[in-house]
Amino acid sequence: MTRPARRYRVALLGNGIRASLSPALHMEEARHLGLDYEYRTVDLIDRTAVDLGAELGRLEDAGYAATNVTHPYKQTVLDHVTDLSPTVRRLGSANLVLFGAGRRTAHNTDCPGFRGALATFLAAGGAAGTVLPTGTVLRTGTVLQVGAGGAGLATVAALLDLGFRTVVVHDAVPAAVATLLDRFAPVTSPRLLPSGGTLDTWLPRVDGVVHVTPVGMAEHPGVAFEVDRLDPAAWVAEVVYRPLETELLRRARARGLATLDGGGMAVGQAVESLRLITGLEPDTARMHAHFRRLVAGPDTLAGPDPLEA
């Protein structure tokens, strides 16, 4: 007798998320895992006032197992949960809430998702989305992070975890850098440094750059910094994934620099979310392949801010 598939109902809470790739990405992998898995978006874009606690309560009452949480609720959701994972306590930001036994447990899968993709890239250049010129050796001494917004909390934590000697953070808004450093500096100083607003001074001196701003999205064309100022042996990692080849990556690849596109973080956080929700092990390579089919399909340039997905 065939055992019925385990059933999961999962949501995504956010603002302006109707074109999110998360439902398709989760449900296709869940199908391979033999699960009855329904993933729905709850787009609050038309709400003049949002009671996030009430929204979570409605999902709980409807029998949902979990909800991903995206822009602009990754920090405010912490006011409406009962438990924080160690990563959430460290970052002060969550993108997943698990329901069960009257508890709401907040997790952050952005950080391990990005950390895993970057670690694979740095180790062998074998991560999906990698362009690695023949004979390239990726250096890991000093890294520059451009962007100190919400996603920057997750990426800077990953960089610290990966053991870079120095992590320099730059943002057009100096207060954003100060806020980020205040969260991490007590336990990482002097490894974590502000750029001092001198981006052009740092670019020739770093081994790699992680780009974590909206610049390069279809709605925000352009580049956040000039790749021509980078050392020829430097590498560039991107978190924007719509389009998958941003202008920044195009210019970096034209210079022959090693690059990692934004699909690494996008898929990585989805893999971690599925693992936490189901207790099963997703096939990362299979999810990367499905993700690339999705971004190559219709409406590739539409959708929510990938920095907040």
Side-chain angles (χ1 to χ4, degrees):
M1 181 176 178
T2 303
R3 182 177 298 176
R6 291 162 58 184
R7 187 167 189 267
Y8 294 88
R9 297 184 73 188
V10 180
L12 172 64
L13 278 173
N15 185 306
I17 58 173
R18 290 188 178 94
S20 173
L21 299 181
S22 290
L25 193 59
H26 275 240
M27 288 192 292
E28 175 67 8
E29 182 59 21
R31 183 182 66 79
H32 283 286
L33 296 173
L35 303 176
D36 179 355
Y37 196 99
E38 177 186 3
Y39 191 115
R40 293 189 176 183
T41 57
V42 181
D43 196 336
L44 305 176
I45 191 170
D46 296 324
R47 307 283 184 87
T48 55
V50 173
D51 184 336
L52 198 55
E55 295 295 336
L56 293 174
R58 276 191 278 273
L59 294 173
E60 282 179 306
D61 293 344
Y64 279 71
T67 183
N68 280 123
V69 181
T70 187
H71 178 75
Y73 307 117
K74 288 188 177 184
Q75 292 174 309
T76 55
V77 73
L78 302 187
D79 295 330
H80 307 284
V81 301
T82 54
D83 304 294
L84 308 179
S85 74
T87 303
V88 171
R89 285 196 295 271
R90 181 187 183 196
L91 272 61
S93 173
N95 71 323
L96 174 67
V97 177
L98 301 182
F99 303 126
R103 312 293 294 179
R104 298 174 182 172
T105 304
H107 292 268
N108 187 299
T109 69
D110 289 332
C111 180
F114 178 73
R115 183 176 61 228
L118 187 63
T120 302
F121 169 64
L122 295 174
T130 293
V131 172
L132 189 66
T134 302
T136 300
V137 176
L138 301 179
R139 302 178 308 192
T140 57
T142 300
V143 63
L144 170 66
Q145 176 168 299
V146 179
L153 289 167
T155 53
V156 82
L159 294 172
L160 293 170
D161 291 346
L162 290 172
F164 285 90
R165 183 180 66 247
T166 305
V167 179
V168 181
V169 182
H170 175 84
D171 196 280
V173 180
V177 176
T179 298
L180 186 149
L181 265 61
D182 283 346
R183 174 163 289 277
F184 294 101
V187 294
T188 59
S189 182
R191 290 176 56 209
L192 187 60
L193 304 174
S195 70
T198 56
L199 180 60
D200 286 347
T201 299
W202 279 104
L203 288 172
R205 300 164 56 188
V206 300
D207 297 313
V209 183
V210 176
H211 174 241
V212 200
T213 85
V215 178
M217 295 171 58
E219 299 86 353
H220 304 280
V223 294
F225 61 90
E226 292 300 326
V227 297
D228 288 345
R229 295 191 60 82
L230 291 171
D231 185 278
W235 50 266
V236 176
E238 174 72 275
V239 300
V240 171
Y241 68 80
R242 292 185 122 180
L244 198 54
E245 182 173 74
T246 60
E247 179 64 16
L248 174 64
L249 291 186
R250 188 190 67 77
R251 294 186 187 185
R253 289 166 180 171
R255 274 203 67 199
L257 305 185
T259 61
L260 176 66
D261 68 39
M265 183 173 181
V267 176
Q269 65 83 19
V271 169
E272 292 292 329
S273 290
L274 265 169
R275 183 180 291 126
L276 286 166
I277 293 166
T278 68
L280 301 177
E281 190 63 34
D283 185 318
T284 302
R286 184 166 60 205
M287 290 186 71
H288 271 291
H290 183 218
F291 170 81
R292 286 171 195 281
R293 290 195 298 272
L294 289 172
V295 296
D299 301 320
T300 297
L301 299 180
D305 185 344
L307 302 183
E308 300 294 349

